[in-house]
Structure formats: structure tokens, C-alpha cells
Amino acid sequence: MEGPNMDMLNNEEIAKAGLADWRKLAQGLHARYLVDDFGVGARFITAVGEAGDALGHFPTVSIGKGYVDLKIVSADAVYRDGEGTEHIVEWVTRQDVDLAHRISKIAVEHEIGANPAAVSVVELGLDTSRSATIAPVWAALLTGDAEAQGHGSPSDEIRDATGRVPNLWFGNAGGKSGRASGSTSRSTWRPKSSSSESPLPSPRAGP
């Protein structure tokens, strides 16, 4: 899929979408739905999968006792920097918002309530002026995979593609730009309107 649907959205655009069940945390949209038992959760996930089939886009799913956790993110979102250069990044796009809306409708149909307050994402931050130098070491320590450096990001940020460990992003130590050492820090590419954690409107009441 290409075109406007793959442009990354800033947090204001996501908030205006009215995704009451969801929270924008780190790179993606996250939701927790409360289920009475595993069977209810399994049927819900099956319906979510059918919605994903229709859109050609799927969430990451985790199911446990009493809950189903979902994460939606596009691995090929388009980010344009200040010079107009396009970068492929991992972020929320219109297709993610569309899928989130469909999943929320499915939850209503299955009489399943959301608990956005229970959603959280842990990230690590490290101030440095030499992220390009130290990022390979952190990638090896955290993930054992050199490809984790810059995964889904034009920066040196460390992201494990399997989601096993928290993301590690680099700030600008002493107010110096990471570009001075040949790197790009998070603050040089994130839209001014975006932050790593931004709550969306209040959740709807559950059944």
C-alpha cells in the first residue's frame, strides 16, 4: 500500500481520529480489551483477524487471563524531514487508525470493554553526543542483533523487531545535536507535535 494512507500521523491527527479504546505509546497504537475467558478472547481475535484480512494489515496480539492486548503500527510509514527527504519509519498511519476503528466496532459487537488505563510501554532514554559510536554496543547488549540499531527509524534508536526488550532512544547530551557525531537523535526527526507517550480522549464505558 502506498500514498497518503502510509504518511505518518502526528499525535494531534491521531487524537482527532477519536480512538477512545486506544493509546498512542512509543511508535504504535495500543489497546487492552477485557474478556471473561479464553474462549471469548479467541473469538474476538478471530474477528479481528478477519478485519485485518479485509485491510491487509494486522495487529500484534497478546492474550492472557482476562485480557487481550493489541498493538497496531505500520513498519513502512513515510516520514518527510525538513528538507523534504522521505524516510521509511515505524509509526502510526491512516491504515492503523482505520484498523483501530474496526477493532473498536468489533469489541462493541462482542460486548467487550476496553481498559486504556491499563496500557503502558516502557522505553529507555540515554543522553549522549556520540550515539553512532555507542549504539552498536547497546544493540548487541539489548537484542543481540546489529539490525536493531535504526530499526524503523532514521535515528540510531535501538528497537527490537520482536518486541522482547524496551526501545532505547538517544537524547542530545549538553544540548548538542547527535548529527555532530554523524548520528541522528530522536529529537532531530520526531515531529514537534509528537511525543513518546500521548493519551487519546477518555475511554468509552465498558458493558
Side-chain angles (χ1 to χ4, degrees):
M1 182 181 298
E2 297 180 356
N5 277 347
M6 297 312 297
D7 287 349
M8 66 180 289
L9 302 179
N10 61 40
N11 283 346
E12 281 82 357
E13 291 170 318
I14 297 169
K16 288 179 181 178
L19 301 174
D21 292 354
W22 300 79
R23 291 292 181 266
K24 164 65 174 62
L25 300 174
Q27 283 68 47
L29 297 173
H30 299 257
R32 167 164 287 192
Y33 288 97
L34 305 180
V35 295
D36 293 332
D37 54 48
F38 187 88
V40 172
R43 288 188 290 274
F44 174 55
I45 292 172
T46 298
V48 168
E50 292 172 353
D53 284 336
L55 291 175
H57 188 48
F58 300 91
T60 300
V61 179
S62 175
I63 185 171
K65 185 176 181 180
Y67 70 87
V68 173
D69 285 348
L70 302 172
K71 174 186 176 182
I72 308 176
V73 68
S74 291
D76 50 357
V78 177
Y79 163 67
R80 296 175 183 82
D81 62 25
E83 299 174 354
T85 303
E86 292 188 356
H87 304 271
I88 300 302
V89 299
E90 186 179 51
W91 201 265
V92 176
T93 66
R94 179 58 53 187
Q95 71 171 355
D96 300 307
V97 169
D98 290 345
L99 180 56
H101 277 303
R102 292 202 183 194
I103 291 173
S104 293
K105 290 179 180 178
I106 292 168
V108 172
E109 294 167 359
H110 286 245
E111 299 184 338
I112 294 173
N115 185 10
V119 177
S120 65
V121 171
V122 175
E123 289 191 301
L124 306 176
L126 180 64
D127 279 340
T128 178
S129 60
R130 300 182 179 276
S131 63
T133 301
I134 66 173
V137 177
W138 280 102
L141 288 173
L142 290 175
T143 72
D145 183 3
E147 296 297 320
Q149 179 182 348
H151 173 73
S153 168
S155 72
D156 290 319
E157 187 168 333
I158 309 300
R159 298 184 192 170
D160 180 12
T162 66
R164 296 169 300 171
V165 298
N167 294 342
L168 171 63
W169 54 269
F170 300 99
N172 295 325
K176 298 179 180 178
S177 170
R179 291 183 185 275
S181 61
S183 65
T184 304
S185 73
R186 164 177 287 213
S187 61
T188 63
W189 80 271
R190 289 290 165 88
K192 292 181 180 179
S193 57
S194 295
S195 63
S196 60
E197 296 188 5
S198 176
L200 298 178
S202 300
R204 64 174 172 81

